[in-house]
Each structure stands twice: as structure tokens, then as C-alpha cells.
Amino acid sequence: MAKPLVTQLAHVAIETADLHGSVDFYTRVLGLDVHFNFLRDGKPVGCYIKVSGNTFLELAEVPNPRNTVTPALNHYCFETDDIQTAHQQLMSGGVVVSDINQACDEKLVGN
């Protein structure tokens, strides 16, 4: 059997209309820690919350989330040890993927 391209689930991103309230829930109620914040014009607009090891929950405040009752899934991210091979294998399998770019955490990503 070939070695899996995916090494772990890196993060799950959800949308929220209330970033402060969401951060409060995950930190105060669940006991997790904010790993880093996303800022726009000096104002927090999102963050990574460490769940375990190198797995994170990404919270993104959006003006009109798709679901105002529960957080809406925005995307999820897998990690790989070989992004070039993963990129090529996905394209060979008929998956439409973006070019490989550098993310805000300086990792290489493709969508």
C-alpha cells in the first residue's frame, strides 16, 4: 500500500458572527488556548485555537455567516510531508486545485 499523502488534520475553519463570544467559549469553557490572531487594521478578525499537537480550530468573524445559530464550516486543511507530490496526484485524479502558495503561517498550501 502506498504511503498516505495526508499526515494529519491541520485545522478546521468555522465562521462566526461573534468572534469574542466564540473565543470565550473555546478558551474559558473548553480550556483551549489561542495560538495566534488574525488582525485587519489592528482589529482581531480571527484566530487559531490549539486543540492538540499541531491541530487547530480556525475561527473567522464574518459579517453575515451562512448560519447564525451554529458555526458554519468554512474549510478544513490536511497536512502532508510532500505538497508537490500531493498537488500532482490530486491534479492527476481530476481534482481542480490552486497553485501552491505560502499561507500566513508560512506553510505552503494549495486549495
Side-chain angles (χ1 to χ4, degrees), residues 51-62:
V51 176
S52 66
N54 289 318
T55 302
F56 299 88
L57 175 65
E58 178 184 340
L59 299 177
E61 187 168 62
V62 295

Side-chain angles (χ1 to χ4, degrees), residues 4-81:
L5 289 176
V6 174
T7 58
Q8 76 170 18
L9 177 64
H11 69 267
V12 173
I14 59 172
E15 299 174 349
T16 179
D18 180 8
L19 181 62
H20 178 75
S22 295
V23 169
D24 179 65
F25 171 77
Y26 288 106
T27 57
R28 185 180 56 80
V29 177
L30 296 185
L32 303 174
D33 293 317
V34 173
H35 191 64
F36 64 84
N37 291 295
F38 296 110
L39 302 176
R40 184 175 298 128
D41 299 324
K43 178 184 178 247
V45 294
C47 66
Y48 264 35
I49 294 179
K50 187 170 188 161
V51 176
S52 66
N54 289 318
T55 302
F56 299 88
L57 175 65
E58 178 184 340
L59 299 177
E61 187 168 62
V62 295
N64 298 305
R66 289 176 255 184
N67 186 338
T68 58
V69 178
T70 58
L73 176 65
N74 182 283
H75 69 272
Y76 55 90
C77 175
F78 291 122
E79 283 195 9
T80 181
D81 289 333

